[in-house]
Amino acid sequence: MNVAIVGVGNISRTHMEAWKHIPEATVVAVCDIRQEMIDRAVDITGARGYLDFTQMLDNEDIDILDICLPTYLHADFAVQAMERGIHVLTEKPLSLYKKDVARTYEVAQRKNVRFMTAQVLRFWHEYELLREAYQSGQYGPLISATMTRLGSTPRSSWDNWMIDEQRSGLTPFDLHIHDLDFLVYTFGEPKDMQVNRARGAKRDDIHVVYHYDGFFVSCQATWHNAVFRFRSGYRFQFEKAVME
Ligand SMILES: NC(=O)c1ccc[n+]([C@@H]2O[C@H](COP(=O)([O-])OP(=O)(O)OC[C@H]3O[C@@H](n4cnc5c(N)ncnc54)[C@H](O)[C@@H]3O)[C@@H](O)[C@H]2O)c1
């Protein structure tokens, strides 16, 4: 399968390394609007580099497009590729808007191509174990839980798009969405929720408590205005065991 990557900034590095572990896939083309990022990506992958996305689609025979662009561009680029019959993997979140979700899935179905948003927690072993423990009931019923996702306010995104609410959605869409995706995937829609948020010029702190039948989950997602090593984790209290 021929893979192309568009947006070869920070997180694309992880994608480029990951594709190397899939023998059936070859990264044949990379695209960015910054030549220095293209040069770095070409060094890592050996692929051909493009400054223009449409030119890349026209010139290359692409099976899968991997989108590592800023959040506000995901849906438009996904739709453009799927209209040409290309399968798409996009970084999270797909969009800040429901209407983009609807139009993206409409094109995927109409063109009969695969589309996936990289909500990765579902596939991490620690979270698979948690889901299994809940579903099997091996530790008794779930009572309460905390999930955390903490880091510094991002300073190295292209054009500082990550600290622009219109383009990134800030901590709810950039960080908390990972934990929320896992909760909905594992427990379904919560019955109720309470939200507290403390925002400042260079910080954003959201705490959400989700209520389910018989248990609640308290989530925190924070960008600190400080040098703060990124960390994430969970603690789930079952009747007979605590998982963390
Ligand atoms: N799954 C995760 O844990 C995780 C972690 C970090 C980031 N992300 C997501 O990945 C995405 C990218 O984040 P990032 O940190 O790599 O951002 P970044 O700013 O470092 O990289 C984005 C790249 O896109 C390029 N770009 C911008 N406009 C373009 C265009 N029109 N055409 C081609 N290239 C263009 C920029 O030059 C830049 O190199 C975001 O949606 C973010 O939410 C996910």
Side-chain angles (χ1 to χ4, degrees):
M1 302 284 263
N2 289 344
V3 179
I5 307 177
V6 61
V8 283
N10 289 326
I11 195 65
S12 73
R13 187 76 198 243
T14 308
H15 289 234
M16 289 188 267
E17 294 302 330
W19 284 115
K20 288 182 185 169
H21 295 285
I22 302 178
E24 299 83 2
T26 309
V27 177
V28 295
V30 293
C31 172
D32 202 288
I33 50 174
R34 292 186 291 171
Q35 186 61 49
E36 70 273 22
M37 303 314 284
I38 294 176
D39 293 344
R40 184 190 75 152
V42 167
D43 276 350
I44 296 169
T45 60
R48 288 172 288 279
Y50 289 87
L51 277 166
D52 185 276
F53 180 63
T54 308
Q55 196 182 14
M56 178 172 81
L57 296 186
D58 287 344
N59 284 9
E60 300 286 341
D61 181 16
I62 300 166
D63 299 301
I64 302 170
L65 178 70
D66 178 2
I67 300 177
C68 296
L69 290 164
T71 296
Y72 68 100
L73 297 172
H74 292 174
D76 281 348
F77 279 68
V79 164
Q80 209 179 319
M82 290 191 298
E83 287 287 6
R84 292 179 181 234
I86 297 171
H87 304 289
V88 169
L89 168 73
T90 183
E91 260 300 346
K92 47 51 68 175
L94 167 54
S95 171
L96 310 184
Y97 303 104
K98 273 186 177 175
K99 63 179 182 351
D100 282 336
V101 178
R103 75 184 170 106
T104 303
Y105 279 91
E106 184 278 319
V107 180
Q109 274 166 8
R110 177 163 47 78
K111 301 301 287 188
N112 195 26
V113 294
R114 300 271 175 112
F115 172 81
M116 180 179 168
T117 306
Q119 296 290 170
V120 287
L121 252 53
R122 297 176 183 209
F123 307 101
W124 288 14
H125 192 48
E126 299 88 334
Y127 290 84
E128 286 176 335
L129 288 176
L130 191 54
R131 190 173 142 90
E132 275 167 33
Y134 173 72
Q135 289 180 338
S136 69
Q138 60 187 305
Y139 302 132
L142 179 57
I143 295 165
S144 66
T146 58
M147 302 181 88
T148 50
R149 205 154 281 278
L150 316 172
S152 302
T153 297
R155 288 177 176 81
S156 67
S157 61
W158 164 77
D159 197 34
N160 274 330
W161 70 269
M162 237 187 221
I163 53 171
D164 174 355
E165 184 166 23
Q166 303 303 316
R167 291 191 284 177
S168 78
L170 305 180
T171 57
F173 284 91
D174 196 71
L175 288 184
H176 176 58
I177 199 160
H178 279 297
D179 293 325
L180 179 57
D181 177 69
F182 179 78
L183 292 181
V184 174
Y185 172 59
T186 306
F187 308 123
E189 299 269 335
K191 300 266 177 266
D192 195 9
M193 63 189 272
Q194 291 147 349
V195 184
N196 285 293
R197 190 165 180 191
R199 279 179 61 183
K202 290 185 179 158
R203 57 181 167 73
D204 188 14
D205 190 13
I206 184 167
H207 296 234
V208 189
V209 181
Y210 294 102
H211 295 266
Y212 287 90
D213 279 336
F215 67 92
F216 62 89
V217 184
S218 175
C219 298
Q220 179 183 2
T222 305
W223 285 341
H224 292 291
N225 182 18
V227 177
F228 192 86
R229 185 180 53 79
F230 179 77
R231 64 204 68 172
S232 61
Y234 64 67
R235 194 176 64 252
F236 275 63
Q237 183 186 195
F238 294 87
E239 189 73 50
K240 294 187 235 165
V242 176
M243 290 180 74
E244 68 176 345

